[in-house]
Amino acid sequence: SSPLTDGQRLYAWFGTGQIVALDMAGKPIWSRHLGRDYAPFDINWGHSSSPALFNGALILLTYHQPMAHLLSLDAASGKTTWRVERGRDVNSYSTPLVVQAPGGPELIVNSSEGVSGHNPSTGQLLWHIQESNRFPIPMPVFHDGTIYTSRGYRSGPYMAIRPGGKGDVSKSHVLWRTDTGAPYVSSLVHYEGQLYMAGDVGVLSAIDAR
């Protein structure tokens, strides 16, 4: 996991489930051990999801074998503001992303079940694209009202999704989808109408985002 800051505090999350907040001089403010509080951190290649910041809260994606859950912590105190369980054996190595949809902000998650959008204030599932994947690693990117994401794992599919849907949006909000050719691990980059991908076999690709 990568640390991040909101300019007031620095947050660091570790593979054991421990998470700490420091002030900008390095003084500890609060700490939690989520692996003890909720469920052991147990995922095949080790935890890698980084926190996301939204409205004074840290949103944490802990999709591991023993129990998968979305978790929101108050950034100032570390106290849990909401938690949504997703069951056992739902995995993700990806980092969630908050985007602005027509109906309000949405939290985008790339997981072994598929791609989904959630209410970042409650964790409620808003929409989903069901598609199994053993090791979903890349995080989504967002540009000009469109979500772009690779599913990861062995040259998996990549796609463009319009946010704002309800329920199964696989036929209503997927603008385009390509079955293969995306990176296993790295995320996409959007720049001046192009999606750039660095593949696992040493190939750099540019794709028209439209």
Side-chain angles (χ1 to χ4, degrees):
S1 302
S2 299
L4 78 163
T5 181
D6 54 12
Q8 294 179 296
R9 291 170 291 271
L10 177 72
Y11 309 96
W13 199 15
F14 300 92
T16 57
Q18 293 167 287
I19 183 168
V20 299
L22 313 175
D23 68 18
M24 302 308 286
K27 180 182 177 181
I29 299 174
W30 58 259
S31 65
R32 296 277 304 270
H33 197 316
L34 304 177
R36 293 175 182 166
D37 292 347
Y38 296 116
F41 272 41
D42 183 8
I43 187 170
N44 197 28
W45 302 111
H47 176 80
S48 68
S49 180
S50 301
L53 278 166
F54 175 74
N55 280 1
L58 294 171
I59 299 179
L60 309 174
L61 181 63
T62 56
Y63 281 19
H64 298 169
Q65 275 84 358
M67 179 58 68
H69 56 265
L70 271 174
L71 182 67
S72 174
L73 305 183
D74 177 74
S77 67
K79 294 181 179 179
T80 300
T81 53
W82 56 256
R83 181 169 67 101
V84 177
E85 291 190 0
R86 301 289 293 161
R88 292 175 55 87
D89 298 321
V90 180
N91 299 327
S92 181
Y93 302 84
S94 181
T95 294
L97 177 71
V98 178
V99 306
Q100 188 61 45
E106 294 181 355
L107 178 74
I108 312 303
V109 172
N110 180 20
S111 79
S112 57
E113 291 185 321
V115 182
S116 55
H118 304 255
N119 183 333
S121 297
T122 64
Q124 175 193 6
L125 179 66
L126 302 174
W127 56 264
H128 67 275
I129 299 168
Q130 201 74 16
E131 180 180 77
S132 62
N133 184 299
R134 289 187 66 193
F135 302 116
I137 301 173
M139 71 172 291
V141 294
F142 185 69
H143 179 78
D144 198 21
T146 302
I147 302 158
Y148 302 96
T149 189
S150 162
R151 296 285 286 121
Y153 187 56
R154 294 187 178 178
S155 191
Y158 58 101
M159 63 194 76
I161 307 164
R162 188 173 72 252
K166 300 295 180 184
D168 184 351
V169 299
S170 56
K171 296 182 179 179
S172 60
H173 284 67
V174 177
L175 302 178
W176 55 258
R177 181 184 185 279
T178 300
D179 290 335
T180 189
Y184 189 153
V185 175
S186 60
S187 303
L188 310 180
V189 172
H190 185 286
Y191 180 69
E192 293 188 350
Q194 299 286 313
L195 293 173
Y196 293 94
M197 306 190 303
D200 309 294
V201 294
V203 175
L204 181 66
S205 302
I207 295 93
D208 187 298
R210 293 196 178 193

mmCIF file of all heavy atoms in Angstrom, residues 38-81:
data_model
loop_
_atom_site.group_PDB
_atom_site.id
_atom_site.type_symbol
_atom_site.label_atom_id
_atom_site.label_comp_id
_atom_site.label_asym_id
_atom_site.label_seq_id
_atom_site.Cartn_x
_atom_site.Cartn_y
_atom_site.Cartn_z
ATOM 1 N N TYR A 38 -11.427 -6.906 12.777
ATOM 2 C CA TYR A 38 -12.481 -7.452 11.928
ATOM 3 C C TYR A 38 -12.174 -8.854 11.407
ATOM 4 O O TYR A 38 -12.906 -9.790 11.676
ATOM 5 C CB TYR A 38 -12.750 -6.486 10.765
ATOM 6 C CG TYR A 38 -13.281 -5.163 11.244
ATOM 7 C CD1 TYR A 38 -12.557 -3.996 11.054
ATOM 8 C CD2 TYR A 38 -14.494 -5.084 11.919
ATOM 9 C CE1 TYR A 38 -13.038 -2.776 11.512
ATOM 10 C CE2 TYR A 38 -14.979 -3.866 12.381
ATOM 11 C CZ TYR A 38 -14.242 -2.720 12.171
ATOM 12 O OH TYR A 38 -14.721 -1.529 12.639
ATOM 13 N N ALA A 39 -11.112 -9.015 10.653
ATOM 14 C CA ALA A 39 -10.775 -10.327 10.097
ATOM 15 C C ALA A 39 -9.299 -10.320 9.727
ATOM 16 O O ALA A 39 -8.739 -9.268 9.385
ATOM 17 C CB ALA A 39 -11.624 -10.627 8.857
ATOM 18 N N PRO A 40 -8.621 -11.487 9.797
ATOM 19 C CA PRO A 40 -7.194 -11.537 9.445
ATOM 20 C C PRO A 40 -6.949 -11.073 8.016
ATOM 21 O O PRO A 40 -7.769 -11.309 7.128
ATOM 22 C CB PRO A 40 -6.856 -13.024 9.607
ATOM 23 C CG PRO A 40 -7.903 -13.569 10.513
ATOM 24 C CD PRO A 40 -9.146 -12.792 10.226
ATOM 25 N N PHE A 41 -5.828 -10.398 7.812
ATOM 26 C CA PHE A 41 -5.416 -9.992 6.474
ATOM 27 C C PHE A 41 -4.730 -11.189 5.826
ATOM 28 O O PHE A 41 -3.575 -11.497 6.118
ATOM 29 C CB PHE A 41 -4.481 -8.783 6.528
ATOM 30 C CG PHE A 41 -5.213 -7.468 6.510
ATOM 31 C CD1 PHE A 41 -6.384 -7.292 7.240
ATOM 32 C CD2 PHE A 41 -4.752 -6.406 5.759
ATOM 33 C CE1 PHE A 41 -7.079 -6.091 7.226
ATOM 34 C CE2 PHE A 41 -5.428 -5.190 5.736
ATOM 35 C CZ PHE A 41 -6.587 -5.034 6.459
ATOM 36 N N ASP A 42 -5.464 -11.871 4.955
ATOM 37 C CA ASP A 42 -4.989 -13.117 4.357
ATOM 38 C C ASP A 42 -5.405 -13.140 2.895
ATOM 39 O O ASP A 42 -6.558 -13.424 2.563
ATOM 40 C CB ASP A 42 -5.582 -14.311 5.107
ATOM 41 C CG ASP A 42 -5.069 -15.646 4.583
ATOM 42 O OD1 ASP A 42 -4.146 -15.637 3.745
ATOM 43 O OD2 ASP A 42 -5.604 -16.693 5.012
ATOM 44 N N ILE A 43 -4.470 -12.793 2.031
ATOM 45 C CA ILE A 43 -4.711 -12.775 0.592
ATOM 46 C C ILE A 43 -3.453 -13.296 -0.089
ATOM 47 O O ILE A 43 -2.340 -13.063 0.382
ATOM 48 C CB ILE A 43 -5.097 -11.350 0.111
ATOM 49 C CG1 ILE A 43 -5.516 -11.360 -1.354
ATOM 50 C CG2 ILE A 43 -4.007 -10.337 0.389
ATOM 51 C CD1 ILE A 43 -6.142 -10.037 -1.810
ATOM 52 N N ASN A 44 -3.637 -14.005 -1.175
ATOM 53 C CA ASN A 44 -2.588 -14.845 -1.757
ATOM 54 C C ASN A 44 -1.231 -14.166 -1.928
ATOM 55 O O ASN A 44 -0.209 -14.690 -1.515
ATOM 56 C CB ASN A 44 -3.073 -15.381 -3.109
ATOM 57 C CG ASN A 44 -2.246 -16.557 -3.593
ATOM 58 O OD1 ASN A 44 -1.679 -17.291 -2.799
ATOM 59 N ND2 ASN A 44 -2.209 -16.740 -4.897
ATOM 60 N N TRP A 45 -1.190 -12.978 -2.520
ATOM 61 C CA TRP A 45 0.091 -12.301 -2.781
ATOM 62 C C TRP A 45 0.365 -11.175 -1.799
ATOM 63 O O TRP A 45 1.306 -10.413 -1.977
ATOM 64 C CB TRP A 45 0.115 -11.755 -4.215
ATOM 65 C CG TRP A 45 -0.083 -12.816 -5.240
ATOM 66 C CD1 TRP A 45 -1.166 -12.986 -6.057
ATOM 67 C CD2 TRP A 45 0.809 -13.887 -5.554
ATOM 68 N NE1 TRP A 45 -1.006 -14.084 -6.841
ATOM 69 C CE2 TRP A 45 0.201 -14.654 -6.562
ATOM 70 C CE3 TRP A 45 2.059 -14.277 -5.073
ATOM 71 C CZ2 TRP A 45 0.797 -15.795 -7.107
ATOM 72 C CZ3 TRP A 45 2.654 -15.407 -5.616
ATOM 73 C CH2 TRP A 45 2.029 -16.152 -6.621
ATOM 74 N N GLY A 46 -0.454 -11.046 -0.764
ATOM 75 C CA GLY A 46 -0.261 -9.984 0.213
ATOM 76 C C GLY A 46 -1.104 -8.760 -0.105
ATOM 77 O O GLY A 46 -1.373 -8.442 -1.259
ATOM 78 N N HIS A 47 -1.531 -8.068 0.928
ATOM 79 C CA HIS A 47 -2.394 -6.894 0.773
ATOM 80 C C HIS A 47 -1.652 -5.781 0.037
ATOM 81 O O HIS A 47 -0.496 -5.491 0.328
ATOM 82 C CB HIS A 47 -2.817 -6.399 2.157
ATOM 83 C CG HIS A 47 -3.631 -5.155 2.117
ATOM 84 N ND1 HIS A 47 -4.970 -5.163 1.822
ATOM 85 C CD2 HIS A 47 -3.280 -3.867 2.319
ATOM 86 C CE1 HIS A 47 -5.414 -3.925 1.847
ATOM 87 N NE2 HIS A 47 -4.419 -3.107 2.144
ATOM 88 N N SER A 48 -2.345 -5.128 -0.915
ATOM 89 C CA SER A 48 -1.695 -4.033 -1.650
ATOM 90 C C SER A 48 -2.592 -2.825 -1.869
ATOM 91 O O SER A 48 -2.123 -1.797 -2.349
ATOM 92 C CB SER A 48 -1.191 -4.526 -3.013
ATOM 93 O OG SER A 48 -2.282 -4.840 -3.863
ATOM 94 N N SER A 49 -3.875 -2.924 -1.556
ATOM 95 C CA SER A 49 -4.779 -1.800 -1.777
ATOM 96 C C SER A 49 -4.390 -0.615 -0.899
ATOM 97 O O SER A 49 -4.076 -0.776 0.279
ATOM 98 C CB SER A 49 -6.217 -2.221 -1.461
ATOM 99 O OG SER A 49 -7.116 -1.150 -1.670
ATOM 100 N N SER A 50 -4.415 0.582 -1.477
ATOM 101 C CA SER A 50 -4.130 1.807 -0.737
ATOM 102 C C SER A 50 -5.436 2.486 -0.334
ATOM 103 O O SER A 50 -6.480 2.267 -0.948
ATOM 104 C CB SER A 50 -3.289 2.762 -1.588
ATOM 105 O OG SER A 50 -2.075 2.165 -1.957
ATOM 106 N N PRO A 51 -5.407 3.336 0.695
ATOM 107 C CA PRO A 51 -6.627 4.041 1.101
ATOM 108 C C PRO A 51 -7.054 5.071 0.053
ATOM 109 O O PRO A 51 -6.249 5.563 -0.733
ATOM 110 C CB PRO A 51 -6.224 4.738 2.407
ATOM 111 C CG PRO A 51 -4.959 4.073 2.849
ATOM 112 C CD PRO A 51 -4.278 3.621 1.603
ATOM 113 N N ALA A 52 -8.343 5.392 0.082
ATOM 114 C CA ALA A 52 -8.881 6.506 -0.697
ATOM 115 C C ALA A 52 -9.459 7.517 0.281
ATOM 116 O O ALA A 52 -10.015 7.142 1.318
ATOM 117 C CB ALA A 52 -9.959 6.023 -1.661
ATOM 118 N N LEU A 53 -9.329 8.792 -0.020
ATOM 119 C CA LEU A 53 -9.868 9.861 0.822
ATOM 120 C C LEU A 53 -11.162 10.396 0.237
ATOM 121 O O LEU A 53 -11.257 10.643 -0.967
ATOM 122 C CB LEU A 53 -8.856 11.003 0.945
ATOM 123 C CG LEU A 53 -7.742 10.850 1.980
ATOM 124 C CD1 LEU A 53 -6.661 11.885 1.737
ATOM 125 C CD2 LEU A 53 -8.295 10.976 3.401
ATOM 126 N N PHE A 54 -12.169 10.583 1.116
ATOM 127 C CA PHE A 54 -13.436 11.166 0.665
ATOM 128 C C PHE A 54 -14.113 11.858 1.835
ATOM 129 O O PHE A 54 -14.452 11.213 2.837
ATOM 130 C CB PHE A 54 -14.363 10.086 0.090
ATOM 131 C CG PHE A 54 -15.733 10.604 -0.270
ATOM 132 C CD1 PHE A 54 -15.911 11.394 -1.406
ATOM 133 C CD2 PHE A 54 -16.834 10.329 0.523
ATOM 134 C CE1 PHE A 54 -17.161 11.885 -1.734
ATOM 135 C CE2 PHE A 54 -18.086 10.823 0.212
ATOM 136 C CZ PHE A 54 -18.249 11.600 -0.932
ATOM 137 N N ASN A 55 -14.300 13.160 1.741
ATOM 138 C CA ASN A 55 -15.061 13.940 2.735
ATOM 139 C C ASN A 55 -14.625 13.660 4.169
ATOM 140 O O ASN A 55 -15.448 13.367 5.048
ATOM 141 C CB ASN A 55 -16.561 13.665 2.586
ATOM 142 C CG ASN A 55 -17.184 14.443 1.442
ATOM 143 O OD1 ASN A 55 -16.504 15.178 0.727
ATOM 144 N ND2 ASN A 55 -18.471 14.265 1.237
ATOM 145 N N GLY A 56 -13.318 13.712 4.398
ATOM 146 C CA GLY A 56 -12.813 13.541 5.744
ATOM 147 C C GLY A 56 -12.780 12.111 6.235
ATOM 148 O O GLY A 56 -12.639 11.867 7.444
ATOM 149 N N ALA A 57 -12.900 11.156 5.320
ATOM 150 C CA ALA A 57 -12.876 9.744 5.690
ATOM 151 C C ALA A 57 -11.871 8.997 4.831
ATOM 152 O O ALA A 57 -11.601 9.368 3.679
ATOM 153 C CB ALA A 57 -14.260 9.114 5.524
ATOM 154 N N LEU A 58 -11.298 7.937 5.408
ATOM 155 C CA LEU A 58 -10.465 6.999 4.673
ATOM 156 C C LEU A 58 -11.331 5.818 4.273
ATOM 157 O O LEU A 58 -11.958 5.185 5.138
ATOM 158 C CB LEU A 58 -9.306 6.495 5.540
ATOM 159 C CG LEU A 58 -8.251 7.504 5.969
ATOM 160 C CD1 LEU A 58 -7.320 6.853 6.993
ATOM 161 C CD2 LEU A 58 -7.456 7.992 4.770
ATOM 162 N N ILE A 59 -11.383 5.513 2.987
ATOM 163 C CA ILE A 59 -12.131 4.351 2.516
ATOM 164 C C ILE A 59 -11.133 3.247 2.197
ATOM 165 O O ILE A 59 -10.189 3.446 1.431
ATOM 166 C CB ILE A 59 -12.999 4.697 1.301
ATOM 167 C CG1 ILE A 59 -14.016 5.782 1.692
ATOM 168 C CG2 ILE A 59 -13.708 3.447 0.791
ATOM 169 C CD1 ILE A 59 -14.907 6.211 0.567
ATOM 170 N N LEU A 60 -11.340 2.087 2.806
ATOM 171 C CA LEU A 60 -10.377 0.991 2.747
ATOM 172 C C LEU A 60 -11.027 -0.239 2.131
ATOM 173 O O LEU A 60 -12.123 -0.647 2.534
ATOM 174 C CB LEU A 60 -9.871 0.666 4.158
ATOM 175 C CG LEU A 60 -9.353 1.853 4.980
ATOM 176 C CD1 LEU A 60 -9.021 1.415 6.389
ATOM 177 C CD2 LEU A 60 -8.140 2.487 4.308
ATOM 178 N N LEU A 61 -10.352 -0.812 1.162
ATOM 179 C CA LEU A 61 -10.819 -2.015 0.473
ATOM 180 C C LEU A 61 -10.050 -3.209 1.030
ATOM 181 O O LEU A 61 -8.867 -3.384 0.743
ATOM 182 C CB LEU A 61 -10.573 -1.853 -1.029
ATOM 183 C CG LEU A 61 -11.011 -2.966 -1.951
ATOM 184 C CD1 LEU A 61 -12.515 -3.158 -1.894
ATOM 185 C CD2 LEU A 61 -10.570 -2.679 -3.383
ATOM 186 N N THR A 62 -10.722 -4.024 1.839
ATOM 187 C CA THR A 62 -10.089 -5.214 2.420
ATOM 188 C C THR A 62 -10.852 -6.434 1.942
ATOM 189 O O THR A 62 -11.692 -6.985 2.669
ATOM 190 C CB THR A 62 -10.050 -5.151 3.955
ATOM 191 O OG1 THR A 62 -11.383 -4.969 4.448
ATOM 192 C CG2 THR A 62 -9.211 -3.968 4.422
ATOM 193 N N TYR A 63 -10.578 -6.830 0.701
ATOM 194 C CA TYR A 63 -11.229 -7.990 0.089
ATOM 195 C C TYR A 63 -10.254 -9.152 0.150
ATOM 196 O O TYR A 63 -9.409 -9.324 -0.731
ATOM 197 C CB TYR A 63 -11.606 -7.681 -1.354
ATOM 198 C CG TYR A 63 -12.868 -6.851 -1.528
ATOM 199 C CD1 TYR A 63 -13.396 -6.105 -0.485
ATOM 200 C CD2 TYR A 63 -13.528 -6.808 -2.749
ATOM 201 C CE1 TYR A 63 -14.552 -5.344 -0.655
ATOM 202 C CE2 TYR A 63 -14.682 -6.060 -2.930
ATOM 203 C CZ TYR A 63 -15.187 -5.335 -1.884
ATOM 204 O OH TYR A 63 -16.329 -4.581 -2.055
ATOM 205 N N HIS A 64 -10.382 -9.961 1.208
ATOM 206 C CA HIS A 64 -9.472 -11.067 1.472
ATOM 207 C C HIS A 64 -10.260 -12.365 1.636
ATOM 208 O O HIS A 64 -11.487 -12.340 1.770
ATOM 209 C CB HIS A 64 -8.655 -10.794 2.727
ATOM 210 C CG HIS A 64 -7.774 -9.596 2.635
ATOM 211 N ND1 HIS A 64 -7.132 -9.065 3.726
ATOM 212 C CD2 HIS A 64 -7.427 -8.803 1.590
ATOM 213 C CE1 HIS A 64 -6.414 -8.003 3.364
ATOM 214 N NE2 HIS A 64 -6.588 -7.817 2.070
ATOM 215 N N GLN A 65 -9.533 -13.500 1.661
ATOM 216 C CA GLN A 65 -10.194 -14.797 1.750
ATOM 217 C C GLN A 65 -11.081 -14.957 2.985
ATOM 218 O O GLN A 65 -12.230 -15.378 2.874
ATOM 219 C CB GLN A 65 -9.163 -15.945 1.706
ATOM 220 C CG GLN A 65 -8.765 -16.379 0.317
ATOM 221 C CD GLN A 65 -7.651 -15.510 -0.275
ATOM 222 O OE1 GLN A 65 -7.205 -14.558 0.363
ATOM 223 N NE2 GLN A 65 -7.210 -15.840 -1.465
ATOM 224 N N PRO A 66 -10.617 -14.627 4.211
ATOM 225 C CA PRO A 66 -11.458 -14.878 5.390
ATOM 226 C C PRO A 66 -12.754 -14.065 5.398
ATOM 227 O O PRO A 66 -13.797 -14.546 5.815
ATOM 228 C CB PRO A 66 -10.551 -14.483 6.560
ATOM 229 C CG PRO A 66 -9.165 -14.571 6.027
ATOM 230 C CD PRO A 66 -9.270 -14.178 4.591
ATOM 231 N N MET A 67 -12.663 -12.806 4.955
ATOM 232 C CA MET A 67 -13.840 -11.941 4.909
ATOM 233 C C MET A 67 -13.506 -10.692 4.111
ATOM 234 O O MET A 67 -12.469 -10.061 4.342
ATOM 235 C CB MET A 67 -14.293 -11.535 6.321
ATOM 236 C CG MET A 67 -15.499 -10.605 6.345
ATOM 237 S SD MET A 67 -16.954 -11.289 5.514
ATOM 238 C CE MET A 67 -17.354 -12.634 6.620
ATOM 239 N N ALA A 68 -14.371 -10.369 3.162
ATOM 240 C CA ALA A 68 -14.191 -9.159 2.358
ATOM 241 C C ALA A 68 -15.108 -8.070 2.897
ATOM 242 O O ALA A 68 -16.300 -8.329 3.151
ATOM 243 C CB ALA A 68 -14.505 -9.441 0.894
ATOM 244 N N HIS A 69 -14.562 -6.880 3.084
ATOM 245 C CA HIS A 69 -15.423 -5.779 3.484
ATOM 246 C C HIS A 69 -14.849 -4.448 3.037
ATOM 247 O O HIS A 69 -13.650 -4.279 2.908
ATOM 248 C CB HIS A 69 -15.689 -5.768 4.990
ATOM 249 C CG HIS A 69 -14.463 -5.721 5.844
ATOM 250 N ND1 HIS A 69 -13.890 -6.846 6.355
ATOM 251 C CD2 HIS A 69 -13.716 -4.691 6.283
ATOM 252 C CE1 HIS A 69 -12.833 -6.520 7.083
ATOM 253 N NE2 HIS A 69 -12.711 -5.216 7.050
ATOM 254 N N LEU A 70 -15.768 -3.524 2.766
ATOM 255 C CA LEU A 70 -15.449 -2.114 2.558
ATOM 256 C C LEU A 70 -15.565 -1.426 3.907
ATOM 257 O O LEU A 70 -16.509 -1.682 4.662
ATOM 258 C CB LEU A 70 -16.428 -1.484 1.577
ATOM 259 C CG LEU A 70 -16.115 -1.522 0.090
ATOM 260 C CD1 LEU A 70 -17.308 -0.971 -0.690
ATOM 261 C CD2 LEU A 70 -14.877 -0.728 -0.243
ATOM 262 N N LEU A 71 -14.626 -0.542 4.177
ATOM 263 C CA LEU A 71 -14.556 0.064 5.498
ATOM 264 C C LEU A 71 -14.261 1.554 5.354
ATOM 265 O O LEU A 71 -13.429 1.957 4.532
ATOM 266 C CB LEU A 71 -13.449 -0.625 6.299
ATOM 267 C CG LEU A 71 -13.212 -0.206 7.741
ATOM 268 C CD1 LEU A 71 -14.401 -0.600 8.599
ATOM 269 C CD2 LEU A 71 -11.943 -0.879 8.259
ATOM 270 N N SER A 72 -14.936 2.356 6.158
ATOM 271 C CA SER A 72 -14.680 3.789 6.187
ATOM 272 C C SER A 72 -14.289 4.199 7.594
ATOM 273 O O SER A 72 -14.999 3.885 8.563
ATOM 274 C CB SER A 72 -15.925 4.561 5.739
ATOM 275 O OG SER A 72 -15.743 5.956 5.881
ATOM 276 N N LEU A 73 -13.152 4.897 7.714
ATOM 277 C CA LEU A 73 -12.678 5.398 9.000
ATOM 278 C C LEU A 73 -12.666 6.918 8.988
ATOM 279 O O LEU A 73 -12.266 7.535 7.987
ATOM 280 C CB LEU A 73 -11.254 4.909 9.300
ATOM 281 C CG LEU A 73 -10.960 3.415 9.273
ATOM 282 C CD1 LEU A 73 -9.503 3.170 9.673
ATOM 283 C CD2 LEU A 73 -11.902 2.643 10.165
ATOM 284 N N ASP A 74 -13.070 7.516 10.086
ATOM 285 C CA ASP A 74 -12.927 8.959 10.243
ATOM 286 C C ASP A 74 -11.443 9.305 10.234
ATOM 287 O O ASP A 74 -10.666 8.771 11.033
ATOM 288 C CB ASP A 74 -13.567 9.409 11.546
ATOM 289 C CG ASP A 74 -13.390 10.896 11.789
ATOM 290 O OD1 ASP A 74 -14.066 11.685 11.115
ATOM 291 O OD2 ASP A 74 -12.557 11.243 12.646
ATOM 292 N N ALA A 75 -11.026 10.180 9.327
ATOM 293 C CA ALA A 75 -9.603 10.459 9.156
ATOM 294 C C ALA A 75 -8.990 11.140 10.370
ATOM 295 O O ALA A 75 -7.802 10.965 10.646
ATOM 296 C CB ALA A 75 -9.382 11.314 7.898
ATOM 297 N N ALA A 76 -9.767 11.884 11.118
ATOM 298 C CA ALA A 76 -9.232 12.617 12.264
ATOM 299 C C ALA A 76 -9.048 11.730 13.486
ATOM 300 O O ALA A 76 -8.097 11.904 14.253
ATOM 301 C CB ALA A 76 -10.150 13.790 12.617
ATOM 302 N N SER A 77 -9.941 10.734 13.674
ATOM 303 C CA SER A 77 -9.918 9.929 14.896
ATOM 304 C C SER A 77 -9.602 8.460 14.664
ATOM 305 O O SER A 77 -9.228 7.755 15.604
ATOM 306 C CB SER A 77 -11.271 10.036 15.606
ATOM 307 O OG SER A 77 -12.283 9.422 14.827
ATOM 308 N N GLY A 78 -9.798 7.972 13.437
ATOM 309 C CA GLY A 78 -9.609 6.555 13.151
ATOM 310 C C GLY A 78 -10.817 5.705 13.473
ATOM 311 O O GLY A 78 -10.795 4.482 13.254
ATOM 312 N N LYS A 79 -11.890 6.286 13.978
ATOM 313 C CA LYS A 79 -13.080 5.519 14.335
ATOM 314 C C LYS A 79 -13.842 5.085 13.079
ATOM 315 O O LYS A 79 -13.890 5.807 12.086
ATOM 316 C CB LYS A 79 -13.991 6.348 15.232
ATOM 317 C CG LYS A 79 -13.386 6.654 16.590
ATOM 318 C CD LYS A 79 -14.342 7.471 17.452
ATOM 319 C CE LYS A 79 -13.735 7.743 18.832
ATOM 320 N NZ LYS A 79 -14.640 8.562 19.676
ATOM 321 N N THR A 80 -14.442 3.910 13.127
ATOM 322 C CA THR A 80 -15.200 3.382 12.005
ATOM 323 C C THR A 80 -16.485 4.189 11.815
ATOM 324 O O THR A 80 -17.239 4.400 12.771
ATOM 325 C CB THR A 80 -15.542 1.895 12.239
ATOM 326 O OG1 THR A 80 -14.333 1.153 12.384
ATOM 327 C CG2 THR A 80 -16.354 1.335 11.094
ATOM 328 N N THR A 81 -16.725 4.628 10.575
ATOM 329 C CA THR A 81 -17.960 5.352 10.266
ATOM 330 C C THR A 81 -18.965 4.445 9.562
ATOM 331 O O THR A 81 -20.175 4.619 9.716
ATOM 332 C CB THR A 81 -17.673 6.589 9.401
ATOM 333 O OG1 THR A 81 -16.911 6.211 8.246
ATOM 334 C CG2 THR A 81 -16.857 7.607 10.199
#
